[in-house]
């Protein structure tokens, strides 16, 4: 250890500063205290000798890193616009990233220049109508409303608020229209020009998915890819190819050196050209952890050669982390940072060992190196992928081996197309066309691998794979003559172990895959005497009530392939509605819990709130007038308007929810009957969940004349003690013209699907 410290003390000191910066995410140290503690450590440097002096200096740098990191975290947490949420004003801002578009909106990160004519520099998320999007670096003028980031949403309960806060973004500026009034200049503007030149050149020879893949590999811009293609790349373990990595910088450095050799340039000119190429590429791509890290490492290697200084890859890696964390310590929490550094560490540590393992086998050197890198990176990044995204690709090694030949071709041809476009647009189009063919190969590999059985595994499947890999690693450590001495017994044991792994794999394999709805899908689960309705779109899942505990709603959802929820709604604290909520919260990932916060409560509701706190799931109290938009679904809370009293019937305060998708409206009144809903301005709806399991409701006739639903569903248990649904209720529903009635006690699970206008109903019974 002492010898290593003597040889690598600069790296150790830079690592100490990085540790202080990283610690700033959980511990805060003010400027005065930090300076005082660092000064004390520096005094110790003068008093100590040998390794202790280096340790004291490392402590001083760690304290300085913690102090600086605390200041940066505080700065990222400040927002002047946060105090103006709900206000409307005129703004001028500069877009700093490529816009991401969907069928519903265009969203782009920007920095404000002025707000209502006053200078104001603050990072924001600009939300625009779907359609034309401003390019990166555009100066935009618009009239905006200041809003909060949306609540956790999407398939995995993605917490946009927390993600944006780590980038220093605390508000969303919503604009109905915008106009571009200029472009930013300076060095960032030069990067924008390089990026646009490459994008135009690529577009001249490719289109559709191929163009999106080329832009993803060359510029890290996957916004133009269809969702299905992005899903294929994710399932096959090739997503990193669409987010610029250190591999791209390595290819650029290799290309410049090859060009220098062909042109017989001196080493000095070649290194200077390498520095210029790396700088231009980093500017064009933007601030991405992987490319910044690789750019710093590549630049330092060239500078080390020019200065005739020795180079140390570990030192360059730590300096890259130092720059990224020094700018924003919260970068440590980003998946891109974690995956990038984990992959590089795996290459440094594991790849040399893996090369020795395959040495001697009849495998070409290039293929052996590719296998070693793919295996090491796949194993090292799998835990991070599982933690961040809950699913990890199983076939990442063969996928990356098959994809590897296409990546340098796409990168080189795409960059050459951008470089030649001002001189010869025709040649640029031809180069882009060739890059498109290489991109087609990548698309084919991603689609084929993504469709293999169990292409993605959850934590349980990953555990089985890890055990198998560990057994294989142990087997390679056994002496060959000892293995041969076992003879038939060794073969029998190996066969038994393989059979056990297969059995374990099938026994622990992940639940069924989730089927994506074409539009809106409302599933009324069969929970006996209770309520549970799941609303799904392509990018949202909302569970309204969770039935009684014995209904096993969490298990039902898992068998449907549902492993996460955008939101979970507790309509009111009664066992038949929220009894299964705690189990759902403990077994599935939930973005947010919506609760009416009534004065009256119950043990099942309290258990659910406690489970939410254990899992760090935010709980939001809802009132009439609240509105939530997620994945094309609009949820409007119509009731309650206050918490009521502890002695009040909780049915009178139950959440009444109106869900809208296109022209389809779904009314979910829980147990709130017409004595509550008649006071609400609802209008006509297409789907009605009949209140209170079909109990007698004197005002139901009048309500049906107002609502005029096309589909009604009663959620109740077979042979229940309450006599639900009551004959009077069934008679009222039968008298409603054009109404189709379904009951979970007769029809089982009821599924209603809509494309925004038309309805289709299927029932299990």
């Amino acid at each position: 250890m002492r010898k290593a410290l003597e040889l690598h003390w600069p790296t150790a000191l830079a690592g100490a500063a990085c540790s202080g910066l990283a610690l700033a995410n959980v511990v805060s140290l003010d400027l005065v205290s930090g300076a005082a503690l660092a000064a004390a450590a520096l005094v110790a440097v003068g008093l100590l000798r040998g390794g202790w002096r280096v340790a004291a200096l490392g402590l001083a740098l760690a304290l300085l890193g913690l102090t600086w990191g605390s200041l940066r975290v505080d700065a990222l947490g400040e927002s002047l616009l946060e105090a103006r949420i709900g206000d409307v004003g005129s703004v001028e801002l500069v877009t700093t990233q490529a816009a991401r578009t969907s069928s519903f909106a265009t969203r782009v990160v920007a920095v404000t220049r002025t707000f209502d004519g006053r200078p104001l520099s603050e990072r924001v998320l600009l939300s625009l109508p779907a359609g034309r999007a401003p390019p990166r670096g555009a100066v935009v003028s618009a009239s905006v409303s200041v809003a909060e980031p949306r609540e956790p949403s999407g398939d995995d309960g993605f917490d946009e608020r927390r993600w944006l806060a780590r980038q220093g973004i605390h508000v969303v500026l919503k604009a109905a229209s915008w106009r571009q009034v200029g472009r930013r200049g300076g060095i960032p503007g030069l990067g924008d020009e390089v990026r646009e030149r490459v994008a135009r050149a690529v577009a001249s020879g490719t289109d559709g998915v191929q163009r999106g893949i080329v832009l993803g590999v060359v510029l890290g811009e996957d916004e133009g890819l269809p969702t299905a293609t992005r899903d294929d790349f994710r399932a096959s373990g090739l997503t990193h190819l669409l987010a610029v990595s250190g591999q791209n910088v390595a290819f650029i450095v290799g290309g410049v050196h090859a060009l220098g050799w062909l042109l017989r340039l001196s080493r000095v000119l070649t290194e200077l050209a390498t520095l210029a190429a790396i700088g231009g590429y980093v500017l064009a791509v933007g601030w991405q952890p992987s490319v910044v890290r690789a750019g710093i490492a590549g630049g330092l290697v060239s500078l080390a050669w020019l200065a005739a200084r020795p180079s140390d890859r570990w030192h360059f890696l730590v300096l890259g982390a130092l720059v990224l964390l020094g700018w924003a310590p919260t970068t440590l929490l980003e998946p891109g940072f974690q995956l990038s550094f984990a992959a590089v560490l795996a290459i440094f540590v594991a790849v040399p060992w893996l090369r020795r393992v395959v040495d001697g086998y009849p495998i070409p050197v290039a293929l052996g190196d590719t296998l070693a890198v793919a295996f090491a990176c796949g194993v090292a990044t799998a835990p991070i992928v599982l933690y961040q995204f809950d699913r990890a690709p199983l076939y990442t090694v063969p996928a990356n081996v098959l994809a590897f030949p296409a990546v340098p071709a796409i990168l080189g041809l795409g960059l050459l197309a951008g470089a030649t476009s001002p001189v010869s647009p025709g040649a640029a189009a031809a180069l882009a066309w060739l890059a498109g063919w290489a991109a087609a190969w990548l698309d084919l590999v991603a689609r084929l691998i993504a469709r293999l059985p169990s292409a993605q595994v959850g934590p349980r499947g990953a555990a089985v794979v890890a055990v198998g890999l560990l057994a294989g690693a142990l087997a390679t450590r056994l002496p060959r003559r000892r293995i041969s001495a076992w003879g038939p017994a060794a073969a029998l044991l190996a066969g038994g172990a393989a059979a056990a792994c297969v059995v374990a794999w099938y026994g622990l394999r992940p639940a069924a895959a989730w089927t994506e709805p074409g539009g809106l899908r409302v599933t009324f689960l069969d929970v006996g005497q209770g309520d549970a309705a799941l609303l799904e779109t392509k990018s949202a899942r909302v569970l309204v009530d969770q039935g009684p505990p014995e209904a096993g709603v969490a298990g039902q959802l898992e068998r449907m392939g549902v492993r996460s929820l955008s939101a979970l709604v507790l309509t009111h604290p009664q066992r038949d509605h929220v009894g299964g909520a705690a189990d759902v919260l403990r077994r599935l990932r939930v973005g947010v819990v919506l609760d009416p916060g009534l004065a009256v409560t119950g043990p099942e509701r309290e258990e659910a709130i406690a489970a939410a706190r254990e899992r760090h799931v935010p709980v939001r109290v809802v009132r009439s007038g609240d509105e939530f938009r997620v994945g094309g679904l609009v949820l409007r809370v119509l009731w309650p308007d206050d918490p009521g009293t502890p002695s009040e019937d909780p049915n009178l305060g139950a959440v009444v929810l109106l869900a809208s998708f296109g022209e389809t409206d779904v009314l979910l009144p829980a147990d709130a009957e017409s004595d509550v809903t008649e006071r609400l301005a609802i209008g006509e709806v297409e789907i009605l969940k009949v209140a209170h399991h079909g109990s007698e409701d004197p005002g139901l006739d009048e309500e049906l004349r107002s609502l005029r639903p096309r589909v009604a569903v009663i959620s109740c248990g077979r042979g229940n003690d309450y006599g639900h649904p009551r004959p009077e209720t069934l008679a009222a529903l039968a008298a409603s013209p054009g109404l189709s009635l379904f009951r979970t006690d007769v029809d089982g699970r009821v599924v209603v699907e809509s494309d925004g206008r038309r309805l289709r109903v299927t029932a299990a019974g």
Side-chain angles (χ1 to χ4, degrees):
M1 176 65 75
R2 181 176 179 181
K3 185 177 181 180
L5 187 62
E6 290 174 354
L7 290 174
H8 302 287
W9 62 267
T11 304
L13 293 178
C18 286
S19 66
L21 290 166
L23 193 60
N25 287 291
V26 292
V27 178
S28 181
L29 189 63
D30 63 85
L31 181 60
V32 175
S33 301
L37 291 172
L42 289 173
V43 170
V45 172
L47 300 176
L48 298 173
R49 293 291 182 270
W52 290 107
R53 171 179 287 185
V54 177
L57 184 56
L59 177 60
L61 289 173
L63 289 168
L64 290 173
L66 176 58
T67 304
W68 172 255
S70 300
L71 295 174
R72 286 297 300 152
V73 170
D74 290 343
L76 290 171
E78 293 176 355
S79 171
L80 296 175
L81 288 173
E82 198 169 16
R84 302 197 60 172
I85 288 176
D87 292 352
V88 176
S90 59
V91 66
E92 183 177 282
L93 41 76
V94 180
T95 59
T96 58
Q97 295 181 10
R100 186 168 289 276
T101 61
S102 69
S103 303
F104 308 101
T106 296
R107 297 156 71 82
V108 57
V109 174
V111 175
T112 59
R113 285 185 171 180
T114 63
F115 191 90
D116 279 344
R118 297 180 180 178
L120 175 63
S121 179
E122 181 174 332
R123 283 170 62 84
V124 298
L125 181 65
L126 179 63
S127 179
L128 304 169
R132 187 173 64 97
R136 194 187 79 169
V139 180
V140 173
S141 176
S143 177
V144 299
S145 61
V146 186
E148 293 181 288
R150 60 189 178 190
E151 295 292 336
S153 62
D155 291 346
D156 57 353
F158 174 59
D159 192 343
E160 181 185 68
R161 184 190 303 272
R162 185 177 299 176
W163 176 69
L164 290 175
R166 291 200 293 262
Q167 304 176 60
I169 300 174
H170 302 278
V171 299
V172 177
L173 301 184
K174 298 182 177 181
S177 61
W178 58 277
R179 62 189 181 93
Q180 184 175 340
V181 296
R183 297 295 302 266
R184 65 178 174 179
I187 295 178
L190 179 61
D192 297 335
E193 289 183 20
V194 173
R195 185 185 186 92
E196 287 194 10
R197 179 179 297 175
V198 173
R200 285 196 301 268
V202 168
S204 67
T206 60
D207 57 12
V209 172
Q210 293 180 13
R211 179 175 62 184
I213 293 175
V214 175
L215 290 177
V217 172
V218 177
L219 299 175
E221 183 178 312
D222 66 343
E223 288 80 6
L225 286 173
T227 301
T229 302
R230 287 200 294 265
D231 290 343
D232 287 343
F233 271 76
R234 185 181 303 111
S236 59
L238 299 177
T239 300
H240 65 96
L241 299 180
L242 303 178
V244 173
S245 66
Q247 178 178 254
N248 295 46
V249 176
F251 285 145
I252 288 174
V253 171
V256 173
H257 277 75
L259 186 63
W261 179 79
L262 287 172
L263 298 178
R264 298 185 179 278
L265 299 178
S266 68
R267 180 66 185 268
V268 173
L269 288 177
T270 300
E271 295 298 340
L272 290 175
T274 299
L275 286 171
I278 291 173
Y281 188 63
V282 172
L283 278 175
V285 171
W287 188 268
Q288 297 183 25
S290 56
V291 75
V292 171
R293 172 195 52 73
I296 291 171
L300 288 174
V301 169
S302 294
L303 289 174
W305 188 90
L306 290 171
R309 299 296 299 273
S311 59
D312 183 346
R313 59 182 183 173
W314 288 100
H315 189 58
F316 296 157
L317 177 68
V318 174
L319 287 180
L322 187 64
V323 170
L324 288 164
L325 295 175
W327 176 253
T330 51
T331 304
L332 177 71
L333 308 176
E334 293 297 319
F337 180 93
Q338 297 168 5
L339 293 170
S340 174
F341 280 84
V344 175
L345 288 171
I347 291 172
F348 285 1
V349 175
V351 167
W353 175 77
L354 289 170
R355 282 173 175 159
R356 290 194 297 271
V357 170
V358 300
D359 206 19
Y361 288 91
I363 300 175
V365 175
L367 177 59
D369 288 348
T370 303
L371 280 168
V373 171
F375 185 82
C377 293
V379 171
T381 58
I384 300 172
V385 174
L386 277 172
Y387 174 76
Q388 295 285 359
F389 308 110
D390 202 38
R391 308 286 290 162
L394 180 60
Y395 307 112
T396 180
V397 174
N400 278 276
V401 170
L402 290 171
F404 178 78
V407 177
I410 295 172
L411 182 64
L413 292 168
L415 292 175
L416 282 175
T420 57
S421 61
V423 179
S424 175
L431 291 168
W433 179 78
L434 291 173
W437 276 103
W441 170 252
L442 271 190
D443 183 36
L444 177 63
V445 171
R447 284 190 285 112
L448 289 177
I449 298 295
R451 281 153 182 76
L452 291 176
S454 300
Q456 294 186 91
V457 296
R460 293 179 297 177
V464 173
V465 175
V467 170
L469 291 176
L470 181 60
L474 292 175
T476 63
R477 305 291 294 177
L478 293 173
R480 294 182 184 272
R481 61 176 178 272
R482 183 177 177 184
I483 294 177
S484 61
W486 286 355
L492 182 62
L493 286 172
C501 287
V502 171
V503 171
W505 170 256
Y506 280 100
L508 298 176
R509 67 188 186 276
W514 177 68
T515 303
E516 182 180 278
L520 170 67
R521 181 168 61 212
V522 185
T523 303
F524 296 92
L525 299 173
D526 184 4
V527 296
Q529 186 65 15
D531 268 13
L534 178 66
L535 290 78
E536 300 171 278
T537 67
K538 291 183 178 180
S539 58
R541 299 172 191 156
V542 179
L543 181 63
V544 182
D545 282 332
Q546 302 77 41
E550 60 271 15
V553 166
Q556 289 193 46
L557 295 178
E558 288 178 342
R559 288 189 291 275
M560 293 165 60
V562 176
R563 298 176 183 86
S564 59
L565 298 169
S566 308
L568 183 145
V569 183
L570 310 174
T571 60
H572 61 299
Q574 288 190 333
R575 184 178 185 277
D576 59 333
H577 287 258
V578 300
D583 192 32
V584 171
L585 283 159
R586 294 187 181 111
R587 293 171 61 175
L588 279 72
R589 294 180 62 182
V590 178
V592 64
V593 173
L594 305 180
D595 178 71
L598 301 180
V600 61
T601 187
E604 293 80 16
R605 185 259 180 190
E606 293 302 317
E607 184 184 5
I609 297 300
R613 289 172 180 156
E614 290 170 8
R615 300 294 298 270
H616 306 291
V617 178
V619 179
R620 178 165 178 175
V621 175
V622 295
R623 290 285 179 268
S624 57
D626 288 346
E627 183 176 301
F628 305 89
R629 295 177 180 268
V630 50
L633 188 65
V634 181
L635 302 175
R636 298 181 179 89
V637 180
L638 307 180
W639 189 260
D641 57 359
D642 61 51
T645 64
S647 60
E648 191 173 45
D649 181 357
N651 291 344
L652 298 177
V655 171
V656 178
L657 201 64
L658 182 67
S660 301
F661 182 87
E663 298 178 12
T664 300
D665 295 316
V666 186
L667 181 62
L668 302 168
D671 282 354
E673 299 175 350
S674 60
D675 54 348
V676 171
T677 55
E678 67 183 0
R679 296 175 257 171
L680 309 177
I682 300 176
E684 296 183 6
V685 302
E686 282 66 43
I687 306 168
L688 169 67
K689 200 286 296 185
V690 179
H692 204 176
H693 321 293
S695 67
E696 184 178 357
D697 185 356
L700 181 59
D701 289 302
E702 183 63 30
E703 186 173 58
L704 289 171
R705 281 192 285 271
S706 172
L707 298 177
R708 300 179 63 185
R710 293 157 54 190
V711 173
V713 179
I714 301 175
S715 182
C716 60
R718 299 167 185 82
N720 62 84
D721 296 335
Y722 305 94
H724 294 161
R726 300 292 297 175
E728 302 86 348
T729 298
L730 293 176
L733 292 165
S736 182
L739 177 65
S740 298
L741 175 63
F742 296 87
R743 300 165 44 174
T744 59
D745 62 333
V746 174
D747 301 305
R749 180 184 299 170
V750 179
V751 180
V752 187
E753 296 177 275
S754 171
D755 60 0
R757 298 182 64 184
R758 296 166 296 182
L759 301 180
R760 183 166 68 93
V761 186
T762 55

